[in-house]
Amino acid sequence: SCSRAKDVTMPAKLPVNFFSTRSPVIDLFRGQLDYADHLRQDSEIALYFFYAPWCGQSVAVREEIERVANRLSDQVLFIAINCWWNQGKCRKQKHFFYFPVIHLYHQSFGPIEYKGPMSAVYIEKFVRRVMTPLLYISSRSKLLDFLSNYEPGVVGYFEFNASPQPPGYLTFFASALHSLKKDYVGAVRFGVVTDKRVAEEISLVRSGSVYLHRHINTSLIYPHDIMNYTAENVCKWALENRELLIRWLRPHGGKSLLLNNELKKGPALLVFIPYNPLAEIQPLLDEITRVALEYHSCNRSQAAEPELQHIGSSDSPASDSSDPDAHMKLAETFLITKYPCCNTVVLPQWHSISRTHNVCELCINQTLGVKPDKVNVPHCNFYEIETALDSFYLQEHTFFQVVSNSIECSNFLSFYSPFSYYTACCRTVERHFLSFISSEKTIFQTPKVAFSSHGKKDNADIQNSVPHIEDRNCFIPDLHISGTNITGLSCRTNKTLNLYLLDSNLFWIYAERLGASRSTHLKEFAAIVDLKEELHYVLDQNQSLTGSSLENFIKNFSVLYSPLQRHLVGGTSGHVPAERVVAEVTSSTFHGVVLSSEKNVVLLYYAQWCGFCASLNHIFIQLARLLPPDHFIVARIDITQNDLPWEFMTDRLPTILFFPRQRKDRSVKFPEDFPVSLPHLLKFILHHSSLSSPEPCTKECLHKETVLQQGHISHLEKEIQKLRLEIRALHQAHDALEAQLSEARREEHRLQQQKHTLEKQHKTLQLHSEQLQATYDQKNRELLEMAEKLQELADASENLLKENTLLRILVASREGKLQSKDESKEALQSEVQTGADDSSVLVSTALTTEENRIDHVDTVATEHSSENRTE
Amino acid sequence: AMALVRSLGSLLCLCALRVPAGPGAAARGPDVASYRERVRAMFYHAYEHYLESAFPYDELRPLTCDGHDTWGSFSLTLIDALDTLLILGNVTEFQRVVTVLQEGVDFDIDVNASVFETNIRVVGGLLSAHLLSKKAGVEVEVGWPCSGPLLRMAEEAARKLLPAFQTPTGMPYGTVNLLHGVNPGETPVTCTAGIGTFIVEFATLSHLTGDPVFEDVARKALKALWKNRSDIGLVGNHIDVVTAKWVAQDAGIGAGVDSYFEYLVKGAILLQDKELMSMFLEYNKAIKNYTKFDDWYLWVQMYKGTVSMPVFQSLEAYWPGLQSLIGDVDNAMRTFLNYYTVWKQFGGLPEFYNIPQGYTVDKREGYPLRPELIESAMYLYRATRDPILLELGRDAVESIEKISKVDCGFATIKDLRDHRLDNRMESFFLAETVKYLYLLFDPDNFIHNDGSDFDVVITPYGECILNAGGYIFNTEAHPIDPAALHCCRKRKEEQWEVEDLMREFYSLQKNKKFPLKQTSDCGEGECAKDPRDASLGGKKRNSKKSSHSLLSCPSQSFNSKLAVLGQVFLDNT
């Protein structure tokens, strides 16, 4: 049975329903792909959900599919197919590397694989796109709507009056479907116009022409003469030529270089917003895309009118044939008509500890005497304000000591142009006004350079020392943003940003990684990531994410002396208990604990995942328990969770730094060649804490010494306490040993007794053995005797036999003799014969008995010897 | 755990990166708490059926509902599952099993046992149970952790293995008879892992018991392997322990070699040993140079470096976890994502997977519910908190429950192509697979302690800090507390040294006010340092080139912030 059980195997369990029977999804759990294809014939739109019953992702997506099916089952056929069951048709025909796989069919067109996020709203959106790949555009307003979307739009014009199916229409329809194969979120939208007048809006006159709308660059018409008019080509053309002002990033979860490739292109603005693909209106998204459009509008006027308004207001056809002169004209207008514009500038603080800020309203004027109009003052564009700032720096002496509550204004000439001049009206505001300014202190670096001249300024990273542009809404509420000055900024700055959108419903984890607070309910977040510089900036999270806050964020990034602070992602220190043996430092508590405390600090840089760090925990705990807490802090910082300013970063873990009291700038590193052990650490600390400068002994010093000695006493007391415990443990161990010893002694005694009895037993056994030996010998002797007797008997019987033979011979001779006298004495002769016979019988019987006896003795002997062996 | 490997054919093309498997960026990650409970239920389903139907045999046969002896006759599944009980929080059962084992397990038996398996499963299991027994509420004796019944059992078991190390090279035989030592005529061919997988258990034993013999033989074997590496720095699969000739010359990171590399790293961490780490780093370089292609690791000829098998083995999946321990998280994640695609294709990892063909290898289609990929996921989740890793955990729970759960336990998958089951449940299923799964879904488990909690134990040798985290898992997932190694040996000398320093400390601070004395004290401090410096400098001159300590991890790069949900970044070179 043992070997049979080894060979026992069991085939896989039979497949069962994956979806409930009440589900609107038809569940072909035996993988009947042929039946699915049969069912599909009756339905215009079909969705295949290929799953494997053991696959976690299939299980997770099942709900999502069900949700979509519940909404669309009247228009779409939902079929789930178990494509794992190895007896099923599906497994035999398809070879998938992962599950689930979603295929869509629009009548005979397909399969279109869905590769987007596996969430119901996205899937539904995609299914709807497959249902209506082409949007019917019936009117001019609909056309404007269609084209105003930030996603590229392709419009085809087909006249249905002439024939029910105008030439090229089917190809266009197919290309719309085809684009969905490439582009799972349907970023390129396809529309169809049938009205001649509507088509003229975008200068389409011939039926069958296809138009790709672009916001920044000129729009295009499909070149029928260059490329063959096929579905693939139209789709390819649209994808290649579309504008990407702002891109959605949707990592698919598998291994991918998407972010690597995008972020390596240069600094990137990542905007996280909760996105519902099914929502009709997306106000926030519209606002963001407007900023993106502005940012990229390099050739347009400052007060750029969206092109569509332009279309809407004029009847002239725009688009690919649009007049290049128009742009020229606009550009000229931009140069000539300069009206005063103003921006709020926050002046650098004179002392970082100062609680006030100087805020100036800096205006650019063309003509003398024009004062900023408070009602409708446009923002200046980036260039202008930068030039103004340059001049402003030259006038620094006039301003840098402004501490005033009243508004003081002064005019000064432009540095570049003798025709324009600037007005600066400054006042001092309380610091708390500027809530957006991080409250982090920079103690270790005295903010000495606040107003050095432009160009000589190296310490650009000093906090708040650079004038920067702020959303004026913050402190001058009666001024409203009416214009924009980031128009075309992307072409004018050498710090061009790429703009990206991420759905925070799906990818909030990236925002968290960049420091989005976990507490916010609103999942909105923006960050500028510069992979090359290895830093990122974050839009202040107390500010709501709006178009204008984004604009300012971009502007502040683009200016020469960017006021943006590298964002330091810090771990949550909320749930950490305050009293720990080894203090846990975070980005936000670093200054307080390490740099500004009055104690010596031993700081361990670690990461939980690093094996070499975790195995040091016990040494650090011992160290912290040993060092007097009045003078020492033993702390550690998890550097995966907590960014620090560059000068405090380390590239290896673990790293141990010692910050001596009063000389925090003279931190020393525990030498790497030394094994980290308690004595080594103590020696290291001892060595470096002794470096602190000697002070002349005063009363205070004596007092200090008393305190110190008290510390020593308490340390010694602790040691004594420990020793007591140790002694107790030793006593216990001693007792335990004693107990074990006595137990052992008892055991020994018992064993000795046992030995005794065993020896006795042994003796009796030996005795017995001797007795047995004696009996054996005796028996042996008896046996010998018996043998002798037997020999004798044998001899005797031999004699008898001889005698018998003699007798026979005798008888024979007698017979011979008697034969002659036979006739007469016949009766007598027969008598003699019988007597001889009798005697021979007698002899043989005696022999047999003798043999039997020998046999018996043999058995006794063997028995005897075996007994001997057992002994 | 090991298999002899043969070359299969030449490498065709590896560059094809498979279509990203499953656009799994689902909005919500798996529900950690509910999966944790499912893992717990999984454990008890298997454990209770083992006790009911298979105990005291080594393993359960889940299809026939009975037991059999596999690696000896030690009630192996029970020993192996012991610390998993504690990790699941079941102290009462832990305590019961400790008594059962003390009474029932006997190593004086005439059984031929694998030296390797006995060490990792029995010695490792008993050691870790010994070190955790106080936490589990077992009443320990006064000398604990330097003495105790489980420690004595572990020592007894380990002593039974020592005869195997009596070879000319110091490399052990693969099999030993527990009663009679090495059998006459025993084959001298042992796989590499069977030689280099002792340091964690044996060094722990030596530190706890004070008998250096265990650590010494383990080190000697490691050094012998190091000496016999090829010119290009690789080791093969099997070696003759008498003649030191390589018998199987395939070099890779999987079957037959795997835990050798693992123990170099873990030994270096546990013992703060630069020598072991420098060995590993040298190997790591050669492995990267010769076997790594597109984040896969292949098998190559150990002398020439030519590819012998373009195959990924299930056992290789421990590698990313190991990389994360030494801070190579980026590479670890990239390789992990490759391996994960294989899981998605089959619902498990086949013993061999042909990378260019994208399919299983003949006769190697099984999945005995191995833990390695889950193990790596657990380590990587510690480092990155990437939800993808929880998804692997989710997939593992779903797969194992759907495919291999039977009435009597969980059955090995014999063939991943059709999910046919085999009548076996290996003891590592409860020791490793379930444990790592549970730990993946239980971020607050005491095993993940980052040093914020600890226990103070008074031993006759002095005060001792224990359970401060940093547990080193042996290759059978038995955690060893590194702090325990500092409890028993040389304790007193260090304590006195520390006490002297503390005295100097207080007096030094006083002397701060008297600059004359301060200098002399300072000089003394210097003096204390100098000799050590010289000795270290002389010995490790070559390692100084790399300017940083070998026993450290690089801190993570900026882009690691965004390297989640499958995103990988190329080096900035």
Side-chain angles (χ1 to χ4, degrees), chain A residues 54-342:
Chain A
W54 46 262
C55 159
Q57 183 73 355
S58 300
V59 173
V61 179
R62 177 171 57 189
E63 280 173 53
E64 310 284 322
I65 289 290
E66 216 147 37
R67 207 169 300 161
V68 181
N70 278 325
R71 288 169 58 100
L72 294 174
S73 58
D74 51 334
Q75 302 158 71
V76 179
L77 179 68
F78 287 86
I79 306 176
I81 304 160
N82 177 353
C83 212
W84 178 259
W85 173 235
N86 62 334
Q87 314 283 312
K89 273 256 164 39
C90 186
R91 175 76 188 274
K92 285 173 182 156
Q93 285 176 26
K94 307 240 175 222
H95 182 62
F96 292 126
F97 281 100
Y98 56 87
F99 296 96
V101 174
I102 295 175
H103 281 177
L104 281 135
Y105 289 90
H106 186 114
Q107 286 172 333
S108 61
F109 189 93
I112 305 166
E113 186 178 351
Y114 174 70
K115 290 182 188 143
M118 288 294 170
S119 99
V121 278
Y122 277 88
I123 299 170
E124 182 179 339
K125 175 78 177 177
F126 188 73
V127 176
R128 287 185 185 278
R129 289 250 178 157
V130 174
M131 286 157 69
T132 47
L134 280 184
L135 193 77
Y136 175 56
I137 298 165
S138 55
S139 65
R140 220 171 72 177
S141 65
K142 284 222 172 119
L143 180 67
L144 287 182
D145 277 354
F146 184 79
L147 297 181
S148 68
N149 196 302
Y150 70 102
E151 289 175 331
V154 176
V155 181
Y157 166 50
F158 295 97
E159 261 182 62
F160 276 79
N161 313 341
S163 64
Q165 197 73 261
Y169 175 73
L170 272 183
T171 312
F172 185 63
F173 189 86
S175 73
L177 280 173
H178 204 83
S179 79
L180 291 173
K181 281 190 179 177
K182 297 260 156 37
D183 172 30
Y184 58 84
V185 282
V188 180
R189 296 153 320 113
F190 284 76
V192 64
V193 172
T194 53
D195 187 328
K196 191 175 178 185
R197 273 169 306 169
V198 178
E200 275 170 356
E201 295 290 344
I202 45 175
S203 69
L204 293 182
V205 276
R206 234 184 42 235
S207 174
S209 41
V210 175
Y211 163 91
L212 171 67
H213 182 72
R214 300 201 290 188
H215 294 280
I216 309 287
N217 297 302
T218 49
S219 300
L220 300 174
I221 287 178
Y222 186 77
H224 282 81
D225 40 346
I226 302 169
M227 293 168 86
N228 279 339
Y229 182 67
T230 61
E232 282 85 359
N233 278 349
V234 172
C235 175
K236 206 174 119 202
W237 168 78
L239 286 172
E240 272 170 9
N241 292 298
R242 67 177 165 168
E243 266 169 355
L244 280 174
L245 303 176
I246 185 159
R247 259 193 76 175
W248 279 102
L249 294 180
R250 294 195 181 95
H252 50 56
K255 187 177 175 183
S256 117
L257 285 167
L258 177 70
L259 287 183
N260 176 73
N261 293 342
E262 293 302 326
L263 297 182
K264 289 240 164 108
K265 289 176 185 166
L269 171 65
L270 306 179
V271 183
F272 294 81
I273 54 165
Y275 176 64
N276 177 4
L278 297 171
E280 289 289 324
I281 47 162
Q282 314 259 12
L284 183 56
L285 183 59
D286 292 343
E287 215 173 310
I288 293 164
T289 52
R290 182 188 55 77
V291 175
L293 187 59
E294 289 297 326
Y295 184 68
H296 285 111
S297 301
C298 299
N299 303 324
R300 284 170 204 281
S301 77
Q302 182 194 21
E305 310 240 322
E307 194 194 352
L308 290 159
Q309 283 172 29
H310 180 70
I311 299 173
S313 58
S314 76
D315 282 345
S316 73
S319 76
D320 59 328
S321 58
S322 81
D323 184 5
D325 288 348
H327 286 295
M328 283 284 259
K329 263 186 236 153
L330 281 169
E332 275 165 36
T333 335
F334 165 58
L335 287 173
I336 294 161
T337 56
K338 252 197 166 173
Y339 33 77
C341 61
C342 297

Side-chain angles (χ1 to χ4, degrees), chain A residues 5 9-10 13 57 64 252 255-256 259 510 513 608 610-611 617 636 643 650-651 653 683 690 722 726, chain B residues 20 23-24 28 295 325 338 384 394 405 420-421 423 448 450 463 468 492 518 553 561 564 566-567:
Chain A
T9 63
M10 194 171 97
K13 286 163 239 175
Q57 183 73 355
E64 310 284 322
H252 50 56
K255 187 177 175 183
S256 117
L259 287 183
Y510 293 111
R513 289 305 173 105
Q608 216 217 327
C610 174
N617 286 343
R636 57 176 197 168
D643 291 340
T650 172
D651 57 346
L653 302 171
K683 275 177 199 158
S690 65
K722 260 202 280 185
E726 220 178 290
Chain B
R28 306 159 291 275
D295 300 326
L325 267 184
N338 279 5
T384 67
R394 172 200 70 187
K405 185 174 181 179
R420 172 171 286 276
L421 298 179
N423 193 15
H448 297 310
D450 63 352
E463 188 191 84
K492 272 287 159 222
Q518 188 197 335
C553 308
K561 286 185 200 304
V564 289
Q567 292 304 306

